[in-house]
Each structure stands twice: as C-alpha cells, then as structure tokens.
Amino acid sequence: MASNPQASQLLGQREASDASNSSIPPRKMPTGKLYSIGDIHVGFADNKVAWSRLTPHPGDGLILCGDVGDSAEQMRLAFSRATECFDTVWWCPGNHELYTLPDKSGTTGVRGEQKYQECVDVAREYNVLNPEDDFVVWEGEGGPAVIAPIFTLYDYSFRPDDVSLEGAVPWAREKDTEATDEFLLHPDPHPSRQDWCKVLVQKFETKLEAARARFPLLPLVIANHWPLREDLVTLKFIPRFSLWCGTKLTDDWHRRFNAKVVISGHLHIRRTDWKDGCRFEEVSLGYPRQWKKCAEMGLGVNELLREILPGPEIPKTEEVPTQWRVYG
C-alpha cells in the first residue's frame, strides 16, 4: 500500500505536539485494522465491567461512535481504557454526552455548546481525535482513507409528510414515545435543537467539502452518532422515536463526499447496509438488556467490535439486503 506523505506529516505534527505534554497518552500511526463501537454506556455496571475487559489491539485504531457515557467521569473511564488498548482513538458525541445532569449537590452544569466543548476537552485529555480536530488520513489496512468524525444532531425531520414540525413531538407522545433529550439535552445558545442541528450540518458540510478538496483521490470514512439516512432507521417497537434519530439534510452525504464507509450508533440495533456502493455500519453495544443474549453466549465488547477497515468486500450485486448483526 502506498504511503501518503501529506497525511503522515499531518499526524506527525500532532504527535510532536502531543509529545510535548507528557500527561497526554501517546498516539501512534496505526498500521493494522480500524474498528468501531458505539453506545457503550459505561454508566451501567455490566457495561463498565465489559469495557474493562477490552483487550489490547497494538497497531489498530478505534472509533467510539457516541454515547460512551453520561458524564465527564464516565467519558474519562471509556477513553482511558480505549487509549490503553488502541494506537489511535476517534470519538464523536452522542446525545448522552450532551446531557446536562445535576451533580450530588443538585447543581446543574453547563448546557448546549458549552457542554459539547467540555466533552471535547475531555477527549483531548486522552489524545482522542474528535470532530473539532483536523481529519486524519488512515494508512493502515484498507487505506488510505480520510477518517471524518462529525456531529450533526437531529431536527425532527424523520417523520411522516403529514406530520408538521410543531406537531412532531405530540405525535410521538400519542404512542408513549418521548426522548429523554427533551428534558436533558439543551441547545443553548440556539433557540431549538433543530436550529443547532442546522448550524452543525452547515459546519460539517463545509469541513467535509474541504477534506474532499484536499484529498480528492481518497475515500472518506464518516462517523456520526446519528444515522445519515432515514431509510436506515428501523424501529419495530418504537417507530416514532425516529424523530430523534437524524436529519434529512445528510441523506446524500455518502455520495457527495465519496464515502467508503459511514458509521453510526444510537439505534442499539447492529446492522450493515449498502447504498450506492457505500457500506453503512450501525455499531452499537447498547444497554445491558439489549446485548444480554450476546453475554450469555460469551460475547462481550471484544467480539462486538465492528471491523471497519479493511472490512468485507464490496458486494458484486447492486441490491444487497440489510445484514442484521445481532451477535456481532
């Protein structure tokens, strides 16, 4: 595989900067495989124990696709183990990292954009690459490719055509469905979550366009907690939860930005789809009850890590059915 001098220089500059601060864990240029997992929710005791059993992957990289925990303390626990086991770790935020929760004294913390920045600061404590960092070129197996962690949120557009924006949440409540986000995820300083989503979409649209211009011959690996397409949201038991699962503004991003793989979490339903030659991977672990059958079979986080690169070969047929990956 050919080396990319521009990419090596980019990561090399980061490594030199990191080395100047001995308190930050070192990061190496991975030469092996790229894995991903999301929604590890280490605030749950069973998930915390499972994450503590993550095994070393020297030479490999890992993308944490959001919802690692509900607090800075839980994020540190997740990042600490991840960076011990993988040469390079990426992270993009989920809704749970953005929750504003009261502390033991009952005092609530920062909200909205400030809460997101707090999460970014925690990631940087552990040298974890995040949406605010420069995109890095992967030169390990299955590369070269640009690794692009992003953050888009949602705007309630994953709803039927006959349901208005104003009527969307009441429509979901008709079936006893309402995301905790409505109470704990604040959009400050934006007037609404959908307004914040619009700003984020514009921000990362610009960043992805710049990456395509800088590396015109390289495919992208886009990682976002929320699915980029509505047709990837299949929620058999809570279909109206789709409101909190993404935005239609990103529907064609896999084509526009030459994505090789798009990774997401959030749904807690592991699946693989192919759209226009692009592989879509939902990589959630989920709450303990949602991977209980896996645990009973002796399958933990190590077995449920999803190989992103090199990954499976591109199917030779145009129509490929969804692969429901219950056990990995």
Side-chain angles (χ1 to χ4, degrees):
M1 178 182 58
S3 177
N4 187 311
Q6 189 177 18
S8 299
Q9 181 182 15
L10 177 60
L11 189 51
Q13 290 171 347
R14 292 277 312 203
E15 288 173 341
S17 175
D18 299 338
S20 66
N21 187 343
S22 59
S23 66
I24 296 179
R27 186 196 312 132
K28 304 175 184 177
M29 172 73 81
T31 57
K33 297 181 178 181
L34 177 65
Y35 294 89
S36 185
I37 193 167
D39 304 76
I40 59 174
H41 293 287
V42 296
F44 289 87
D46 288 346
N47 286 30
K48 181 179 179 181
V49 170
W51 192 244
S52 72
R53 295 172 178 165
L54 185 68
T55 56
H57 280 255
D60 294 337
L62 177 68
I63 298 174
L64 292 171
C65 211
D67 279 9
V68 301
D70 296 348
S71 66
E73 179 184 5
Q74 291 172 19
M75 290 181 68
R76 290 186 175 97
L77 186 153
F79 293 154
S80 176
R81 187 60 185 165
T83 52
E84 287 174 0
C85 294
F86 287 85
D87 284 10
T88 298
V89 177
W90 288 261
W91 162 83
C92 53
N95 49 312
H96 278 253
E97 284 98 335
L98 301 174
Y99 284 174
T100 298
L101 300 166
D103 59 23
K104 294 180 180 179
S105 67
T107 304
T108 55
V110 295
R111 298 160 52 121
E113 284 190 347
Q114 283 188 306
K115 182 60 189 287
Y116 170 54
Q117 184 58 53
E118 181 181 85
C119 293
V120 168
D121 292 341
V122 173
R124 287 177 172 166
E125 289 177 20
Y126 292 86
N127 216 351
V128 170
L129 291 165
N130 63 81
E132 299 308 306
D133 291 324
D134 292 333
F135 293 157
V136 169
V137 175
W138 172 265
E139 294 194 276
E141 296 181 32
V146 179
I147 308 299
I150 64 172
F151 168 35
T152 62
L153 210 56
Y154 51 83
D155 61 3
Y156 308 94
S157 59
F158 287 1
R159 65 181 192 272
D161 292 339
D162 61 349
V163 176
S164 67
L165 174 60
E166 295 74 20
V169 174
W171 168 75
R173 288 174 182 155
E174 291 175 2
K175 295 296 182 179
D176 296 322
T177 301
E178 185 169 13
T180 306
D181 297 18
E182 294 296 312
F183 309 97
L184 298 179
L185 200 166
H186 306 284
D188 308 30
H190 307 283
S192 67
R193 296 175 194 84
Q194 57 267 33
D195 288 307
W196 191 9
C197 173
K198 184 177 180 180
V199 169
L200 290 168
V201 166
Q202 293 173 342
K203 171 181 176 177
F204 286 101
E205 189 173 41
T206 299
K207 189 169 183 177
L208 290 167
E209 286 175 346
R212 288 288 292 122
R214 184 175 184 185
F215 304 107
L217 301 180
L218 299 187
L220 270 63
V221 174
I222 301 175
N224 186 49
H225 181 67
W226 294 270
L228 295 191
R229 292 174 58 92
E230 186 177 14
D231 58 7
L232 299 176
V233 180
T234 304
L235 302 168
K236 180 179 179 181
F237 299 108
I238 49 170
R240 300 191 183 191
F241 189 78
S242 63
L243 294 182
W244 295 275
C245 292
T247 169
K248 291 181 178 179
L249 295 173
T250 60
D251 180 77
D252 66 345
W253 279 17
H254 66 292
R255 293 191 299 269
R256 286 182 57 192
F257 303 118
N258 187 31
K260 183 174 184 176
V261 189
V262 175
I263 313 165
S264 64
H266 193 58
L267 305 182
H268 297 190
I269 303 171
R270 290 177 292 280
R271 59 187 285 180
T272 300
D273 294 88
W274 294 86
K275 305 286 184 182
D276 307 308
C278 176
R279 175 161 46 99
F280 288 79
E281 298 279 13
E282 209 282 0
V283 299
S284 299
L285 176 66
Y287 303 131
R289 69 179 185 276
Q290 295 169 326
W291 62 279
K292 181 179 179 182
K293 289 183 179 179
C294 293
E296 291 172 348
M297 296 174 62
L299 305 176
V301 294
N302 295 296
E303 292 75 22
L304 296 179
L305 291 175
R306 183 61 174 169
E307 182 183 309
I308 303 302
L309 293 177
E313 294 184 4
I314 299 175
K316 296 180 180 179
T317 57
E318 292 186 4
E319 295 296 328
V320 183
T322 297
Q323 177 189 2
W324 302 98
R325 296 184 292 96
V326 177
Y327 298 110

